Amino acid sequence: QVQLMESGGRLVQAGGSLRLTCTFSGLPLKLNGMRWYRQAPGQKREMVAAITTGGTSDYADFVEGRFTVSRDNAKNMVYLQMNNLKSEDTAVYYCATVYRGNWVWGQGTQVTVSL
C-alpha cells in the first residue's frame, strides 16, 4: 500500500524560503509520477507542481519560477523548494500520486507566510 507523508511546513516571513518533503513508502518511488497540491482556507485544492518518473517537471502559472520540484528515488523522497514566498502561498500543501487508478494523498503540511 502506498503511503505519503509531507513535512517541512512552518511559519515564514514573506520573501523567505521553505523546502517541503514528501516521504513515499509502499513501493519504489521511481515507478510513480508525483504532484504537489495546496489548499488555502475556503479555496479549492489546486495543483502546484508535478514531476514525472523521468524527472520532467511542470508548474502552475502562479509559481512564476519561484518553486522547484525534485525527486530522490534512492531516498523515496520528493521535494518542493519554495523561494520568495508570498502571503498568498499560505495553504496546506499535499503531495499526491496515482496508485492502481486511485489518487493517494498525504495528510498535508501547513505553510503560513506572514507579511
Side-chain angles (χ1 to χ4, degrees):
Q1 181 178 356
V2 170
Q3 292 184 318
L4 306 175
M5 180 176 294
E6 303 91 341
S7 60
R10 61 176 176 85
L11 174 65
V12 63
Q13 287 189 330
S17 297
L18 279 178
R19 189 177 80 159
L20 305 183
T21 299
C22 173
T23 302
F24 182 101
S25 62
L27 75 164
L29 173 63
K30 65 181 180 181
L31 299 178
N32 280 63
M34 299 294 296
R35 293 187 180 186
W36 284 97
Y37 284 79
R38 71 183 188 185
Q39 187 168 20
Q43 303 295 317
K44 293 181 179 180
R45 193 170 296 189
E46 59 184 354
M47 196 194 80
V48 176
I51 187 165
T52 66
T53 54
T56 301
S57 57
D58 190 24
Y59 300 92
D61 290 342
F62 61 76
V63 169
E64 299 176 323
R66 300 178 297 128
F67 299 175
T68 303
V69 61
S70 61
R71 60 193 297 153
D72 185 334
N73 291 338
K75 295 183 178 179
N76 268 13
M77 289 182 177
V78 180
Y79 307 103
L80 184 66
Q81 176 67 42
M82 304 188 294
N83 299 325
N84 191 22
L85 284 161
K86 305 175 182 180
S87 58
E88 51 262 44
D89 294 318
T90 294
V92 178
Y93 284 72
Y94 301 89
C95 60
T97 192
V98 175
Y99 177 65
R100 294 185 176 178
N102 296 306
W103 282 98
V104 179
W105 300 86
Q107 84 290 348
T109 187
Q110 175 71 48
V111 173
T112 303
V113 184
S114 64
L115 293 173

